Amino acid sequence: MTLTQESAARDLTLDSGVRLRFYEAGDPLAPVVVLLHGSGPGATGWSNFSGNIEAIADAGFHVLAPDMPGWGDSDAVATVDMDHDRDLVGFLDALGVERAALVGNSMGGHTAVRFATLHPERITHLVTMGASLGRGPASLFGPGDGPSEGLKVLVRAYKDASPENMKALVEIMTFDKERFATPELTAARSAAALARPDHLRNYVEGLAHGAPIPIKVDRDRVAEIAVPTLLIHGKDDRVLHYETTLWLLANIPNSRAVLLNRCGHWAMIEHAAEFNRLVVDFLTHS
């Protein structure tokens, strides 16, 4: 039976009182894999990972893909009140999950890296795709005038989540624009974003407070990460340069990196089959 968004959707309320939507597949007794989505208007656990959840579950894992507070069908939250690590801990505690593998894209990659530095006893594996580390020291390939071209397009889509701006967003997130920036996909993503004006408003108002990542990972602690780590990045990523992955590779002792040609910021979407093979093999054998 093919997994659908409706059949996989679940809801729970954290101890903090925040209601969280998440998507679930696989044997509840199997090793847990948590998929953490990136930021962006209309981003959800399902929109980021609909091509991965079932494949990873079928390989023998219990897969959970939450909509983080402030995204999707989870409760709205102002940037000044956000703490992705706190919410992830609350999510795992609510489900009685002691340890899990974390797989994060972009903002979700940042959450996974930070979680690994703060809760080493609760993570089994770390996987990132186009990970963000937030604003930090000057980078060799980063733009001199601030955010990357991709992040500028993302902010513009938050301010006006029209199909036109969503098309520009999907185009800059992917390498294969003709395949992914379809009228159907961009219209659906626009509708999903416009359905939650509270999320859009909170993000725009939170830009002055570091949205979407108000609490940054402590880079000095990254070298303490001891779990097996897989770093995936698109060579053609125009949102977050693969320089970030090279920095993580240099600083996380038990890490390996995969750089994908003809791939933008969404490796798990553009190269879903290869991504699924990489992740399943890594989780199974590392």
Side-chain angles (χ1 to χ4, degrees), residues 10-49:
R10 311 280 189 271
D11 290 288
L12 61 77
T13 301
L14 306 182
D15 285 345
S16 63
V18 172
R19 187 187 62 81
L20 202 72
R21 166 64 55 88
F22 68 102
Y23 300 92
E24 181 178 28
D27 181 355
L29 299 179
V32 176
V33 179
V34 179
L35 308 178
L36 299 167
H37 64 79
S39 68
T44 69
W46 185 261
S47 69
N48 263 199
F49 297 110

Side-chain angles (χ1 to χ4, degrees), residues 1-10 23-24 46:
M1 183 177 179
T2 302
L3 192 73
T4 66
Q5 183 173 6
E6 291 72 23
S7 66
R10 311 280 189 271
Y23 300 92
E24 181 178 28
W46 185 261

Side-chain angles (χ1 to χ4, degrees), residues 88-109:
L88 180 55
V89 170
F91 175 64
L92 296 177
D93 287 349
L95 293 174
V97 175
E98 294 184 4
R99 303 178 76 221
L102 301 184
V103 181
N105 170 239
S106 194
M107 176 187 76

Side-chain angles (χ1 to χ4, degrees), residues 16 87 148 166 182-183 192 201 216 219 222 249 265-266 277:
S16 63
D87 294 329
S148 67
M166 283 297 179
T182 63
R201 181 176 60 254
K216 306 298 189 292
R219 295 187 185 218
V222 168
L249 179 68
H265 192 53
W266 288 340
R277 288 194 300 271

Side-chain angles (χ1 to χ4, degrees), residues 57-73:
D58 287 347
F61 296 94
H62 182 199
V63 181
L64 307 169
D67 291 355
M68 294 303 283
W71 279 268
D73 287 318

Side-chain angles (χ1 to χ4, degrees), residues 9 17 31 47 97 106 113 122 141 206 214 284:
S47 69
V97 175
S106 194
V113 170
R122 301 198 66 174
F141 297 106
T284 303

